[in-house]
Amino acid sequence: MTPRRIRTLPAQPARVRSRAARALLAADAARSLVANGPDGLLVLTEEGAVAFANRSAGALVGRVGEPLIGQRIDDLLPPAARGTWRSRPTAGDREIDPVVPPTIRVPLPGGGERIVEAVTEDRTGDAAIQGMVVHLRDATARTGRVAKLATLAYLDSVTRLPNRTRFLDLTARALFEAAKVKSTVAVLMVDLDRFKQVNDALGHAAGDRLLAEVGKRLRGALRSQDVVGRLGGDEFACLLVGPTSLRDAVTLAERMMTALSAPIEIGGHPVAPGASVGVACLPAVGSSVDDILAAADAALYEAKRRGRGRVACFEERLERDVHARAVLEGELRRGIVAEEFVLEFQPLVHLTTGNVSQAEALVRWEHPSRGLLRPDAFVPLAEEAGLVLPLGRWVLHEACRQAASWCGAGSRSGAAVSVNVSSVQLRDPGLVREVIGALHGSGLHPRQLTLELTESTALDDLDGTIAAMQRLQVLGVRFALDDFGTGHSSLGYLHRLPVDEVKIDRSFVASLATNRVASAVVQAVVTVATAVGVGVVAEGIESLGQLRAVRDLGCDVGQGYYLGRPRDTTGFLQFLGADGMAALCRI
């Protein structure tokens, strides 16, 4: 029997077989990825029923092992997400009304929840799919990271209170809601009165603990719906949420001050920080976040101006004052650049010989429209606006230049001069460089320059003050402690401060004839200063009686209108005359 011949197909080229195999492998890989990938995939019919679901889709919506095909999507979702799905968007709203919400929160059996992102794609026009494709992805970890970043972005790390950014946002929302019912919004600005002393004396870690405790006390003093935020440094702000009258706001402000008056234990030290509070209660309609914060800040400034530890409310007068200060600050900046300032000099007279021992340089501002302004009209503003350094730099250089010129052109030995130094200047790392530059540029001998700092400035940061003074004393510069006797425990610190002389505050000199305590204070200062080798200057001598009194008590030098008023350079030199100038030019 002849075997039956089997017909065979022509052999295919190897490259064709390889291409087909790769296609099959690719198709198998694609099906496997769709079926078993970590992301969920659903295809929904126009009626919202599941036509296709991969394995991960069931797990992501909390339906592990359950058949999903044929079920309605609303029946598969957690209750909170039901009703937000529709079968499909219409042609007019396809791009703006998604079929699913952007996230679905799925409760977990052991507690907690899974956050699932859902992205919808309309594939009803695709003949192979003919439905809505829903891509599901587990976003729990990423959402947690985003929430953590949001916490870092909007919460103050020290107090865990809303930071400035968050507080401004909440204030904007409060204004928006209050504007709907035409009510007011109240903001309280809080500034600690003695935070810097704690920070400097006990360190930044202690300062942070103090700020954290202050935040807790402020929170406890307010109502549950109100918001406390830390704007930066030692400045806090409180947003009173809901209808609030000015009287209610003031009551809460006083309650906060009471809460902060009780001592706080920091590193074994009881600290009572105290605070000043500015209250602003403005109509929401027509007000912005900047308006209400500026108003509260103006009220805070007024509270501190009155002596700290006070509550002040915003008034229209304060708004005018804020505007005036802003204008003056701009003029001050321009004036510093244009050098609109001049110096006047007041003599310091040796009470035994009658000779002028040195001259104190006093800055004046030749304002283009307001005339000659005294320091109290612009120096506090310069300190607030951060302009005291350039202003102080000009005063230092100009005082040295003029003093060096008094003893004759070309002389390398000028007259003794004293210059006031603020706390900001004293703590400026560049002060030593500025003093060296002023002395070198003018030719003035270092012993002919005395830097005056107030007692409050010196005792505010005693260790820092001593370090700064010692760096300058190495050069030969002298130091005087101004307004002595007005601080706390003045005599107790005198032996520690490297000063050459103390200037007894004018308030004691003025009451020598009527107040036995003032006389005792002056006598005590003279006794202690003499014991530690420090000279004593009596300030504010305005009568012959006061002159005799301070001389009898042992003061070395006197200063005041009775001995000589401040004068410009020409007037001062005329006041001295030839004999006075000769005495002044001796080191």
Side-chain angles (χ1 to χ4, degrees):
M1 179 175 172
T2 304
R4 183 179 178 182
R5 186 175 180 180
I6 301 175
R7 184 181 177 187
T8 60
L9 295 173
Q12 293 180 327
R15 67 175 182 276
V16 175
R17 291 198 304 272
S18 176
R19 187 184 305 148
R22 286 199 302 270
L24 289 174
L25 287 173
D28 289 342
R31 282 192 292 270
S32 178
L33 287 173
V34 169
N36 304 304
D39 291 348
L41 192 65
L42 296 172
V43 177
L44 308 180
T45 65
E46 293 186 5
E47 292 74 26
V50 177
F52 171 83
N54 69 352
R55 184 178 302 173
S56 294
L60 289 174
V61 298
R63 302 284 179 161
V64 180
E66 295 184 25
L68 304 185
I69 306 300
Q71 296 197 51
R72 291 183 57 81
I73 187 63
D74 260 345
D75 297 333
L76 297 177
L77 291 177
R82 292 174 185 170
T84 58
W85 295 61
R86 296 194 299 116
S87 60
R88 57 175 290 182
T90 63
D93 62 7
R94 181 168 297 173
E95 294 183 359
I96 62 172
D97 189 6
V99 175
V100 295
T103 58
I104 304 169
R105 297 182 177 272
V106 180
L108 299 177
E113 63 181 7
R114 176 186 295 117
I115 299 175
V116 180
E117 283 184 344
V119 179
T120 305
E121 183 183 1
D122 185 357
R123 299 293 293 274
T124 53
D126 188 327
I129 297 176
Q130 297 183 355
M132 303 296 297
V133 178
V134 182
H135 303 268
L136 304 173
R137 172 167 293 180
D138 189 343
T140 307
R142 186 172 64 81
T143 303
R145 290 193 297 271
V146 171
K148 186 175 182 180
L149 290 173
T151 298
L152 294 174
Y154 293 113
L155 282 187
D156 175 60
S157 60
V158 174
T159 63
R160 309 305 296 171
L161 296 173
N163 61 13
R164 174 180 286 273
T165 301
R166 180 61 173 161
F167 187 84
L168 296 181
D169 178 58
L170 293 173
T171 304
R173 295 185 189 183
L175 284 167
F176 177 77
E177 294 298 327
K180 294 179 181 178
V181 293
K182 298 182 179 179
S183 66
T184 60
V185 171
V187 168
L188 280 56
M189 200 74 76
V190 184
D191 186 75
L192 302 185
D193 288 339
R194 288 177 291 276
F195 173 70
K196 189 178 186 307
Q197 291 91 321
V198 174
N199 215 31
D200 292 342
L202 302 179
H204 292 288
D208 286 349
R209 290 195 294 273
L210 176 61
L211 290 173
E213 180 60 28
V214 166
K216 291 179 183 178
R217 293 193 180 189
L218 291 177
R219 176 65 272 169
L222 295 178
R223 305 168 302 186
S224 59
Q225 71 267 29
D226 298 329
V227 177
V228 181
R230 181 187 174 208
L231 303 188
D234 61 346
E235 191 173 53
F236 294 79
C238 306
L239 172 66
L240 307 186
V241 178
T244 304
S245 66
L246 181 59
R247 177 178 297 180
D248 292 338
V250 171
T251 299
L252 291 172
E254 291 173 343
R255 189 188 301 173
M256 290 190 301
M257 289 183 59
T258 300
L260 295 181
S261 64
I264 299 172
E265 192 76 16
I266 302 292
H269 300 275
V271 177
S276 300
V277 183
V279 179
C281 193
L282 298 185
V285 177
S287 298
S288 66
V289 174
D290 289 342
D291 291 336
I292 196 166
L293 289 183
D297 199 51
L300 175 62
Y301 178 86
E302 178 67 11
K304 293 164 69 174
R305 190 189 66 81
R306 294 176 185 174
R308 299 180 179 273
R310 298 173 182 271
V311 175
C313 298
F314 177 75
E315 306 168 3
E316 289 187 5
R317 175 185 60 82
L318 296 182
E319 187 173 17
R320 291 192 297 270
D321 291 346
V322 169
H323 176 71
R325 280 206 313 275
V327 172
L328 188 61
E329 180 182 329
E331 294 174 342
L332 183 59
R333 292 182 184 277
R334 185 211 65 237
I336 291 175
V337 174
E339 296 187 356
E340 296 175 351
F341 298 88
V342 295
L343 294 182
E344 289 187 348
F345 297 90
Q346 185 173 28
L348 278 71
V349 178
H350 198 286
L351 298 182
T352 302
T353 65
N355 292 330
V356 176
S357 59
Q358 61 180 314
E360 179 179 356
L362 302 169
V363 64
R364 305 287 189 256
W365 182 9
E366 287 188 319
H367 193 280
S369 59
R370 303 186 188 186
L372 196 66
L373 300 181
R374 296 172 58 85
D376 54 3
F378 59 89
V379 169
L381 178 61
E383 292 178 342
E384 293 175 19
L387 299 174
V388 74
L389 287 180
L391 178 59
R393 186 180 304 120
W394 180 87
V395 172
L396 176 65
H397 284 259
E398 183 65 12
C400 290
R401 185 190 68 80
Q402 291 203 37
S405 69
W406 290 343
C407 294
S411 172
R412 299 298 290 175
S413 178
V417 67
S418 62
V419 177
N420 291 283
V421 177
S422 71
S423 59
V424 177
Q425 288 176 276
L426 191 65
R427 294 177 181 82
D428 178 27
L431 179 61
V432 174
R433 183 176 64 251
E434 289 296 336
V435 170
I436 292 174
L439 293 172
H440 179 74
S442 64
L444 194 70
H445 192 283
R447 293 298 297 172
Q448 293 171 292
L449 174 63
T450 298
L451 298 181
E452 291 192 17
L453 57 150
T454 63
E455 182 186 352
S456 58
T457 295
L459 299 185
D460 187 38
D461 176 16
L462 187 61
D463 292 336
T465 298
I466 292 172
M469 293 172 69
Q470 288 173 340
R471 288 194 296 270
L472 287 163
Q473 280 191 324
V474 171
L475 304 175
V477 174
R478 303 174 75 252
F479 277 94
L481 197 59
D482 202 5
D483 299 337
F484 193 75
T486 57
H488 302 287
S489 305
S490 307
L491 294 175
Y493 288 111
L494 187 56
H495 71 286
R496 292 190 57 191
L497 287 165
V499 297
D500 299 277
E501 61 188 24
V502 295
K503 303 181 74 172
I504 297 175
D505 187 69
R506 65 183 63 248
S507 61
F508 294 103
V509 175
S511 56
L512 281 176
T514 59
N515 191 327
R516 294 173 59 185
V517 174
S519 180
V521 169
V522 174
Q523 182 67 74
V525 171
V526 171
T527 301
V528 175
T530 302
V532 296
V534 173
V536 180
V537 178
E539 290 188 292
I541 298 175
E542 298 184 357
S543 67
L544 178 60
Q546 291 174 356
L547 172 61
R548 289 171 174 170
V550 296
R551 186 169 54 196
D552 292 343
L553 289 170
C555 294
D556 306 307
V557 177
Q559 182 180 5
Y561 281 7
Y562 184 77
L563 299 173
R565 291 175 174 270
R567 294 174 169 86
D568 62 19
T569 300
T570 302
F572 179 70
L573 297 181
Q574 290 175 349
F575 166 79
L576 289 178
D579 293 339
M581 180 57 66
L584 181 61
C585 289
R586 299 191 192 102
I587 297 177

